[in-house]
Amino acid sequence: MKLELNHISKAYGKTKALTDFNAVLEPGIYALLGPNGSGKSTLMNIITDNLKADKGEIIFNGEKAKNMGVRFREKIGFMPQYPGVYPSFTVEDYLWYMAKLKGLSNQKARQEIPNVLEAVELTESLKTKVGALSGGMKQRLCLACAVLGDPDILILDEPTAGLDPKQRIAVRNYISRIAFNKIVIIATHVVSDIEYIAGNIIILKKGCIYRSASPSSLISEIEGKVWLAETEEKDVENLQKTTKVTNISKEAECVRVRILSDTKPHPLAQNTPPTLEDYYLYVFGEEYEKEKM
Ligand code: ADP
Ligand code: MG
């Protein structure tokens, strides 16, 4: 199975949301990583045919998606970033409705619905009205809908938004479990969501691919640039002014500061192994600061 995304571009007026996006995807988990506004949703909406690209084409197994029409859309399970749900349906009715829209037989739906519900921990909410679900529960219901029908291509736009840490881990593990033999694309700006499950990371910066590589090769790019310094509280402010401080932890005897810097930032600083989070901060330092606010 092969999904080719060729020269995809999209602008909204003067805003270039996506510029010449190219990728060849085979079964595996791909993370689309970038801060808000970097074009992740735009790309996902184009792949799923919810938005028309200005330029470019999508090829699935050698055939143009445009010519395949429904045959292509049937292969896709999509969880949009802001899914619309029908508040008056019960969870069960909603899943049956989605199963019918996807063309599943009654037998298949009867088989699959309990499984997906259990996977997203909503079995007990079977008879609850969708409108009465919490944000995190709605989010998990939408993941269940995307997965229904066992699609070859799974496209998840910020699937863990609004989930608590335990649910995030559960959703992450679930995605990685069902990803076998599928092309899975996960958009997120949360590194920990994809750090251990994505084999490939496509970093989007202002609508352009900044890097596309495995997590380990991205991390190796900043080898030797992450430092830990044990210092005194009075030095921290100065370090923050002159370097990129990514973490400050107070210990009994000192303050431990994590720093991103091309050169040794402090006489007592020692190199420490980089993480993907460090890489993200290295690339998106300023944008990340804004996002936190
Ligand atoms: P992300 O999903 O990474 O947060 P988006 O794809 O939503 O990014 O947005 C990319 C850029 O396109 C942003 O600058 C955003 O403001 C702009 N944009 C997205 N949708 C629209 C729209 N419907 N009209 C105008 N601008 C849009
Ligand atoms: Mg988005």
Side-chain angles (χ1 to χ4, degrees):
M1 185 165 48
K2 189 150 102 178
L3 180 66
E4 293 169 68
L5 308 170
N6 295 337
H7 305 293
I8 297 178
S9 299
K10 173 79 190 175
Y12 297 100
K14 282 190 179 144
T15 307
K16 288 183 173 173
L18 202 62
T19 308
D20 198 33
F21 186 97
N22 290 286
V24 178
L25 311 180
E26 291 181 342
I29 301 184
Y30 295 81
L32 201 56
L33 186 63
N36 290 326
S38 53
K40 305 182 294 295
S41 295
T42 299
L43 177 67
M44 294 194 143
N45 288 325
I46 289 171
I47 300 174
T48 54
D49 203 22
N50 287 297
L51 183 69
K52 207 174 161 329
D54 299 336
K55 262 195 233 144
E57 63 181 6
I58 298 169
I59 313 254
F60 183 70
N61 288 344
E63 198 178 349
K64 284 186 185 175
K66 202 171 63 184
N67 298 344
M68 292 174 71
V70 169
R71 274 193 301 125
F72 178 64
R73 285 195 295 274
E74 273 173 0
K75 307 232 174 279
I76 298 181
F78 180 37
M79 176 178 176
Q81 183 168 14
Y82 303 110
V85 287
Y86 299 108
S88 61
F89 281 42
T90 64
V91 166
E92 184 177 31
D93 291 345
Y94 189 70
L95 280 165
W96 270 96
Y97 173 70
M98 293 305 285
K100 289 284 126 190
L101 278 187
K102 289 184 172 201
L104 266 68
S105 68
N106 283 346
Q107 193 199 353
K108 197 106 207 279
R110 251 194 307 277
Q111 246 171 16
E112 277 199 27
I113 288 175
N115 292 343
V116 294
L117 273 177
E118 196 178 323
V120 299
E121 294 177 37
L122 281 179
T123 305
E124 278 162 30
S125 309
L126 199 65
K127 302 290 175 196
T128 308
K129 288 253 166 76
V130 171
L133 298 177
S134 71
M137 289 163 111
K138 275 188 199 133
Q139 195 79 354
R140 285 181 281 142
L141 175 61
C142 293
L143 177 63
C145 291
V147 167
L148 211 56
D150 195 25
D152 285 338
I153 305 170
L154 198 53
I155 298 192
L156 309 172
D157 198 351
E158 310 259 1
T160 62
L163 301 186
D164 67 35
K166 190 172 147 273
Q167 291 165 350
R168 272 178 184 253
I169 294 170
V171 162
R172 198 162 71 204
N173 291 342
Y174 177 55
I175 294 170
S176 111
R177 223 170 40 237
I178 59 164
F180 186 67
N181 271 345
K182 290 185 197 300
I183 293 172
V184 181
I185 314 175
I186 305 172
T188 185
H189 62 274
V190 182
V191 173
S192 58
D193 279 354
I194 48 87
E195 183 161 26
Y196 300 110
I197 64 169
N200 310 272
I201 298 185
I202 301 171
I203 306 240
L204 264 188
K205 196 172 187 180
K206 299 192 174 120
C208 300
I209 295 182
Y210 176 79
R211 279 282 189 292
S212 175
S214 69
S216 58
S217 90
L218 292 179
I219 289 170
S220 72
E221 284 184 32
I222 56 162
E223 197 70 56
K225 296 180 178 180
V226 186
W227 307 80
L228 279 180
E230 288 183 359
T231 173
E232 290 172 50
E233 200 152 356
K234 65 177 174 50
D235 292 340
V236 173
E237 200 182 327
N238 196 35
L239 273 172
Q240 279 180 304
K241 274 187 200 145
T242 54
T243 64
K244 245 184 216 175
V245 171
T246 61
N247 194 45
I248 302 166
S249 59
K250 276 198 180 160
E251 309 292 325
E253 303 282 307
C254 67
V255 179
R256 188 171 293 135
V257 189
R258 193 176 181 93
I259 301 165
L260 287 171
S261 173
D262 291 339
T263 54
K264 192 168 183 154
H266 185 275
L268 295 177
Q270 298 208 323
N271 267 134
T272 189
T275 64
L276 196 59
E277 177 98 29
D278 290 319
Y279 180 84
Y280 188 80
L281 293 172
Y282 191 78
V283 176
F284 294 112
E286 281 138 41
E287 281 110 308
Y288 181 74
E289 287 306 315
K290 269 186 244 150
E291 244 170 47
K292 276 198 299 191
M293 288 180 352

